[in-house]
Amino acid sequence: MRKIYLILTFLLLMPFIMEGQVEKYKAVFTLNFIRYIGWPEDARQGDFVIGVLNSPNVAKWIKSQSEGKKFGFQDVVVKEFKSVDEVQDCQVLYVSSRSRYLRIASQVQSKLGSSSLIITEEEGATDHGAMINFVIRDDVLKFEIHNSNASNKGLQISSRLENMSSAIVL
């Protein structure tokens, strides 16, 4: 009886365990994305700020992986935002699906600088200004890239990053 209880408990907790792993991978990918972006001069000034909207676990993972590190000559700083009203200028903004990017896209874009990378995790987000969007296809975490959205903000996405993506919109 005890074995059955343990198995049932594990099965009930498994989606939460898997979600934590997916968030970890999203955080690692997000940090790696910045290496494959050609950043304009204005993005290379001051600290390199990565904002995370409404995803404490992703923020925690990014902080743990970037603590004390630099991007070029810039210190990497991670800022957590609980709502779109708190968002302020940053080089990268990660927007979780809980934030419902499609509803707040124009607000997000108005709060960011002219060369900010927007990373989302909501189907259709690239149609609303996101440059990189995480998707799950066939139970596999993938990402799609929207080159026009990036180039409109002065960002150049490396062909190496494009080759790793699951979909590219020109």
Side-chain angles (χ1 to χ4, degrees), residues 49-53 62 77-81 88 90-95:
V49 180
I50 301 171
V52 180
L53 178 58
I62 291 174
V77 175
V78 180
K79 293 185 178 180
E80 287 185 70
F81 307 117
Q88 48 189 279
C90 46
Q91 282 88 337
V92 177
L93 180 65
Y94 180 96
V95 182

Coordinates of all heavy atoms in Angstrom, one line a residue, residues 49-53 62 77-81 88 90-95:
V49 N 21.1 44.4 -18.8 CA 20.0 44.1 -17.9 C 19.1 43.1 -18.6 O 18.6 43.3 -19.7 CB 19.2 45.4 -17.5 CG1 18.0 45.1 -16.7 CG2 20.1 46.4 -16.9
I50 N 18.8 42.0 -17.9 CA 17.9 41.0 -18.3 C 16.7 41.1 -17.4 O 16.8 40.9 -16.2 CB 18.5 39.6 -18.2 CG1 19.7 39.5 -19.1 CG2 17.4 38.6 -18.7 CD1 20.5 38.2 -19.0
G51 N 15.5 41.5 -17.9 CA 14.3 41.6 -17.2 C 13.5 40.3 -17.3 O 13.5 39.7 -18.4
V52 N 12.8 39.9 -16.3 CA 12.0 38.7 -16.3 C 10.6 39.1 -15.8 O 10.5 39.6 -14.6 CB 12.6 37.6 -15.5 CG1 11.6 36.3 -15.6 CG2 14.0 37.2 -16.0
L53 N 9.6 39.0 -16.6 CA 8.2 39.4 -16.3 C 7.4 38.2 -15.9 O 7.2 37.3 -16.7 CB 7.6 40.1 -17.4 CG 6.1 40.6 -17.2 CD1 6.0 41.5 -16.0 CD2 5.6 41.3 -18.5
I62 N 18.2 32.3 -14.1 CA 19.1 33.2 -14.8 C 20.0 33.9 -13.8 O 21.2 34.0 -14.1 CB 18.3 34.3 -15.5 CG1 17.5 33.6 -16.7 CG2 19.2 35.4 -16.1 CD1 16.6 34.5 -17.5
V77 N 22.9 42.1 -15.0 CA 22.0 42.3 -13.9 C 20.6 41.8 -14.3 O 20.2 42.0 -15.4 CB 21.9 43.9 -13.7 CG1 20.8 44.2 -12.6 CG2 23.2 44.5 -13.3
V78 N 20.0 41.0 -13.3 CA 18.7 40.4 -13.6 C 17.7 41.2 -12.7 O 17.9 41.3 -11.5 CB 18.7 38.9 -13.2 CG1 17.3 38.3 -13.5 CG2 19.8 38.2 -14.0
K79 N 16.6 41.6 -13.4 CA 15.5 42.3 -12.7 C 14.3 41.6 -12.8 O 13.9 41.2 -14.0 CB 15.4 43.8 -13.2 CG 16.5 44.7 -12.9 CD 16.2 46.1 -13.4 CE 17.4 47.0 -13.0 NZ 17.1 48.4 -13.5
E80 N 13.5 41.4 -11.7 CA 12.2 40.7 -11.8 C 11.1 41.7 -11.8 O 11.2 42.7 -11.0 CB 12.1 39.8 -10.6 CG 12.9 38.5 -10.6 CD 12.6 37.6 -9.4 OE1 11.5 37.1 -9.4 OE2 13.4 37.5 -8.6
F81 N 10.2 41.5 -12.7 CA 9.0 42.4 -12.7 C 7.7 41.5 -12.5 O 7.6 40.5 -13.1 CB 8.9 43.1 -14.1 CG 10.1 43.8 -14.5 CD1 10.8 43.5 -15.6 CD2 10.6 44.9 -13.7 CE1 12.0 44.1 -16.0 CE2 11.7 45.6 -14.1 CZ 12.4 45.2 -15.2
Q88 N 10.8 48.2 -16.9 CA 11.6 49.4 -17.3 C 12.7 48.9 -18.3 O 12.8 47.7 -18.6 CB 12.2 50.0 -16.1 CG 12.9 49.1 -15.2 CD 13.3 49.8 -13.9 OE1 14.4 50.4 -13.9 NE2 12.6 49.6 -12.8
C90 N 15.4 47.6 -20.5 CA 16.4 46.5 -20.3 C 16.8 46.0 -21.7 O 16.1 46.2 -22.7 CB 15.9 45.4 -19.4 SG 14.3 44.8 -19.8
Q91 N 18.0 45.3 -21.8 CA 18.4 44.8 -23.1 C 17.6 43.6 -23.5 O 17.3 43.3 -24.7 CB 19.9 44.5 -23.1 CG 20.8 45.7 -23.2 CD 21.1 46.3 -21.9 OE1 20.4 46.2 -20.9 NE2 22.2 47.1 -21.9
V92 N 17.2 42.8 -22.5 CA 16.4 41.5 -22.8 C 15.3 41.5 -21.8 O 15.4 41.8 -20.6 CB 17.3 40.3 -22.5 CG1 16.4 39.0 -22.7 CG2 18.5 40.2 -23.4
L93 N 14.1 41.2 -22.3 CA 12.9 41.0 -21.5 C 12.3 39.7 -21.8 O 11.9 39.4 -22.9 CB 11.8 42.1 -21.7 CG 10.6 41.9 -20.8 CD1 11.0 42.1 -19.3 CD2 9.5 42.9 -21.2
Y94 N 12.3 38.8 -20.8 CA 11.7 37.5 -20.9 C 10.3 37.6 -20.3 O 10.1 38.1 -19.2 CB 12.5 36.5 -20.0 CG 11.9 35.1 -20.1 CD1 12.4 34.2 -21.0 CD2 10.9 34.7 -19.3 CE1 11.9 32.9 -21.1 CE2 10.3 33.5 -19.3 CZ 10.9 32.6 -20.2 OH 10.3 31.3 -20.3
V95 N 9.3 37.3 -21.1 CA 7.9 37.5 -20.7 C 7.2 36.1 -20.6 O 7.1 35.4 -21.6 CB 7.1 38.3 -21.8 CG1 5.6 38.5 -21.3 CG2 7.7 39.7 -22.0

